Amino acid sequence: VAFACTLMLAVGIVYLAPWQAEPGPQAYAAELAGQRSVTLEDGSEVTLGGDSAIEVTFNKERRRVKLLRGQAFFQVSKDPARPFYVEARGAEIRVVGTRFDVHAGSVMHPATKVTVEEGVVDVASRATAGSSAAPGPKVRLVAGQQVRVEQSQLSRVTTVDTGQVASWRQGKFSYHDAPLSEVVADANRYRKNRIVIGTRELENLRVTTAFNADQADTLVAMLEQSLPVRVFKEPDGRVVIWPGTVEE
């Protein structure tokens, strides 16, 4: 009997070990208007912007991070045997060791933006990030390059100043000919009362502006002064942006 019990226990350990060796995903998030730095088990570092969240799953073959919402800057530890993947809305990024920024798409601003500060990354489009479908078109980025992924399409690669990559880590936001929806989506991660764009036609209105994170509450006044829009503050604190021709 003792031998049988010992044998059963040994068999149980053999069958349980593989299951125990695959830990579940680890989740990390940053609060509204805050930042959070996370060191992953492989030594890679992730900085999360305001109201941002990731889900991390590592195994023996690969390292995978899902950017669930918001924005994150990655400093990936080199491990050629285990490539590092980042999934965001409509995009999959593959690296070995590098520094890069991922700005996840949202309902308001569906384009996912990938910017490289150092190293090389491969960016592929997906019909749905995290789906089982094979990656679509792919592009390789090097330091100082950026690409957007929207509706399974890759934009042309553009050049950026590597010194300005992820300047949001210092609380600085800068935009050149960006859609209003992107500016508003970023501002909403750093202010309590949401900004809402009243009409679809305004979402792609081009904006060139800059502001600090602590100026997110005054951004709407800056936009009203520089764009053909009108801003309305509702009793609950929400701010709605309408075309400038709207009658009171």
Side-chain angles (χ1 to χ4, degrees), residues 11-214:
V11 172
I13 292 174
V14 168
Y15 280 96
L16 284 174
W19 176 80
Q20 293 173 339
E22 297 291 343
Q26 300 293 312
Y28 305 92
E31 297 180 351
L32 185 75
Q35 285 189 23
R36 182 179 180 184
S37 294
V38 179
T39 300
L40 306 182
E41 64 179 60
D42 67 334
S44 297
E45 297 181 2
V46 185
T47 303
L48 298 173
D51 192 25
S52 300
I54 59 174
E55 185 179 86
V56 181
T57 306
F58 282 8
N59 58 35
K60 294 180 180 179
E61 288 76 32
R62 63 177 58 192
R63 301 168 287 170
R64 184 173 294 276
V65 176
K66 290 184 180 180
L67 179 55
L68 303 176
R69 66 177 184 273
Q71 190 166 11
F73 182 82
F74 296 84
Q75 183 171 344
V76 177
S77 296
K78 292 184 178 181
D79 186 352
R82 286 198 306 168
F84 193 104
Y85 292 86
V86 177
E87 293 181 10
R89 184 186 179 106
E92 180 179 81
I93 302 101
R94 181 185 186 279
V95 305
V96 173
T98 186
R99 295 164 57 90
F100 62 100
D101 183 81
V102 182
H103 185 294
S106 63
V107 174
M108 179 182 294
H109 177 64
T112 291
K113 182 170 59 178
V114 182
T115 312
V116 180
E117 181 181 84
E118 178 184 293
V120 180
V121 307
D122 290 328
V123 181
S125 66
R126 282 186 179 273
T128 304
S131 71
S132 59
K138 179 172 67 173
V139 66
R140 174 159 291 185
L141 302 180
V142 298
Q145 291 186 330
Q146 179 184 95
V147 72
R148 294 173 182 263
V149 184
E150 184 173 6
Q151 297 180 350
S152 302
Q153 300 296 318
L154 296 171
S155 73
R156 66 182 181 86
V157 175
T158 57
T159 302
V160 298
D161 180 358
T162 56
Q164 297 299 314
V165 175
S167 59
W168 55 265
R169 290 176 295 166
Q170 288 77 48
K172 299 179 180 180
F173 296 82
S174 180
Y175 306 87
H176 177 72
D177 196 35
L180 179 61
S181 59
E182 178 180 345
V183 178
V184 169
D186 286 347
N188 279 336
R189 293 190 290 109
Y190 290 87
R191 49 178 283 131
K192 179 179 179 181
N193 298 316
R194 295 189 64 79
I195 304 172
V196 178
I197 299 177
T199 64
R200 294 293 299 272
E201 65 187 80
L202 289 179
E203 292 180 358
N204 288 317
L205 187 66
R206 312 315 290 184
V207 179
T208 297
T209 188
F211 66 93
N212 293 334
D214 58 4

